[in-house]
Amino acid sequence: MTTVVTPRTASPTGTPARPRTALDWRIRFGVLSLIWGFSFLLIKVGTDGYAPFQVTFGRLLFGTAVLVAAMAVKRERLPRGARTWGHLAVAALLLNALPFSLFAYSELTIPSTLAGICNATSPLWGMALSLVALSEDRPTRRRVAGLGIGFLGVLTVLGVWQGFHGLDATGTAMALLASLSYPVGWIYVRRTLAGTGASHLSMTGAQLLLATVQLAVVTPLFTTLPSRFPVVPLLAIVALGALGTGLAIFLQYGIVAEVGPTTAQMVTYFIPVIATAAGVAILGESLAWSTPVGAVIVLAGAALTQARPRR
């Protein structure tokens, strides 16, 4: 997922104007949930034929192509200023290049269902970090309780009472580190890129472009050119980039502009459900009772951490 900073335009009455589209935002929200939920399945299929860095590079390449096309249609330009591009390069690393690569490597040894559930811990990491890094996010009893409940859910998913038996520690750690990278990037963006004046679509397009360049440099250093190009994994990478990155971010951009970031962030709670269903039904991954139970606890905790006090 990517940070959304969308400027609102004002109506003649002074209230924020919410752009409307022909397709209801709830339908687009459901499509976005499905796309991101199936992304973990696509990563698993992609790594069956290509190295993780190659999967990530393809994902970013096709995702960038979609956003560049959207920018061309909307006649938007890339942001200006060396300082802005420098901050965008860091954001590209924290929000795209690093977590995408970590998830790809993690799914070499863990099921896509577990990777999807680890992704759902992102709001928990965000809550913990924001208490330290963002002075405007004051802790409340409900949010602190949500943090504790959420990490209890993580321990349930991992089966801590069994001593993590049968669990690949390295792959799981990579998936959790990927989910941690998102809120670190979000906090960085809030501190450095708020109020730049450029649209979210322009900023995100530039961010993905920089992430693609980063992977273009890194990938040849750690992988070799494939001797063959398996079709199904290649199609999975194309879908992962064009749909799971480019189209998904474009949909998120529209939803945030219409109903606000708080509602748009609720997609986080649907992703692990869809990822688990897809992994079990399509890939035939096994599912212990602790996985769905722990996932429900994680989502409940994450929901509490996002609760805001009534004014």
Side-chain angles (χ1 to χ4, degrees), residues 40-41 44-45 107 110-116 275-288:
F40 296 94
L41 180 148
K44 174 68 78 173
V45 175
E107 291 200 36
I110 66 173
S112 64
T113 55
L114 180 56
T276 300
V280 173
I282 299 176
L283 298 180
E285 295 177 344
S286 60
L287 191 67

Side-chain angles (χ1 to χ4, degrees), residues 3-5 87-88 90-92 94-95 183-195 203 207:
T3 299
V4 175
V5 183
H87 290 313
L88 281 172
V90 178
L94 294 174
L95 291 169
V184 173
W186 295 334
I187 291 173
Y188 181 85
V189 166
R190 287 180 63 177
R191 285 183 173 273
T192 61
L193 289 171
M203 296 287 283
Q207 180 181 307

Side-chain angles (χ1 to χ4, degrees), residues 102-121:
L102 286 172
F103 273 125
Y105 269 101
S106 73
E107 291 200 36
L108 291 177
T109 55
I110 66 173
S112 64
T113 55
L114 180 56
I117 292 171
C118 287
N119 180 77
T121 65

Side-chain angles (χ1 to χ4, degrees), residues 200-215:
H200 167 66
L201 181 59
S202 173
M203 296 287 283
T204 305
Q207 180 181 307
L208 281 187
L209 178 61
L210 288 170
T212 305
V213 172
Q214 291 169 358
L215 262 293

